[in-house]
Amino acid sequence: MADGSMTVGNVEISHLYDLVADFPLTLDQLFPTVTAEAWEPYRRDYPELFGPGNAWRYHAGCYLIRSEGQTILVDTGVGPSSLGLAAWIGTGGELPDRLRAAGVPPEEVQSVVFTHLHPDHVGWNLQQNGGAPRPTFPRARYLAHRADWETFHRPEVQQAMEGVAPAYVPQTLTPLETLGVLDLADGERSLTSEVTALHTPGHTPGSMSLLITSGSERAIIVGDAIAHPAQVEHPDWGFAFDFDGETAIQARGQLLDRIEAEGLILTACHFPEPGFGRVVRLEGRRLWQAL
Ligand SMILES: [Zn+2]
């Protein structure tokens, strides 16, 4: 896997992969309304996203943004192999090593922003080495949307995730509040004059997208609002991890219409390397095309 970087005006964005692995659930389990034949064109368009048979080659992407002297990390991946989710997937991530390879020690990160609070986006939040947890990024504030913070602290929501990521909320989320490093957004939140977290609910109630505007250039990081680039052509392909299927489909359609109308560069956490592309019309299809 190759990490990709690009500049948007004066902003530098790197897409850092915590891990790439064949996901424990198959495509027909993840996208239950989609037939095997319907995947065929995307096997050709995005071969990096398909494993043997019916496997989803899962990419756990995070982003590093540098804007106006600020170093912002977007999402923290699956996390170390000691977490339940990593055990379920069969491997732990390597985000801290990727950051170091990009010349970024953990102390340099000033903000951690969550596109949403699913377990594969929060894994490296804390270090658990024996004793009490401490923030992996010791100088950072961590920003989540309040709607996700409240949703994923509901006992029945945690119960529903137990088979996939047992105890991830008390291990990776709750201590952020007790350690005093958590900020909650209620709507839009500007991180710099070039980077804004937008509330784009759908995949989860508190999903956020990062809009980057610098000079005449613009890009958007949509988290898992678009989980697979095939959904650019088919926003109605429901994803099993969408919190509320109907709302997610509607939100995905609206987001894509805006991205296309405004010509935004589009990237999403589970897109293949290097991760940045545009929405184009090609032979009657609306496609995500890598830059
Ligand atoms: Zn995800």
Side-chain angles (χ1 to χ4, degrees), residues 254-271:
Q254 287 167 356
L255 195 56
L256 276 159
D257 289 345
R258 175 179 178 185
I259 290 165
E260 188 179 18
E262 298 184 15
L264 302 178
I265 291 166
L266 166 63
T267 180
C269 292
H270 303 311
F271 278 22

Side-chain angles (χ1 to χ4, degrees), residues 99-118:
L99 282 167
R100 260 182 226 101
V104 183
E107 310 74 56
E108 202 181 309
V109 175
Q110 287 138 310
S111 310
V112 177
V113 183
F114 301 112
T115 61
H116 63 296
L117 295 180
H118 271 154

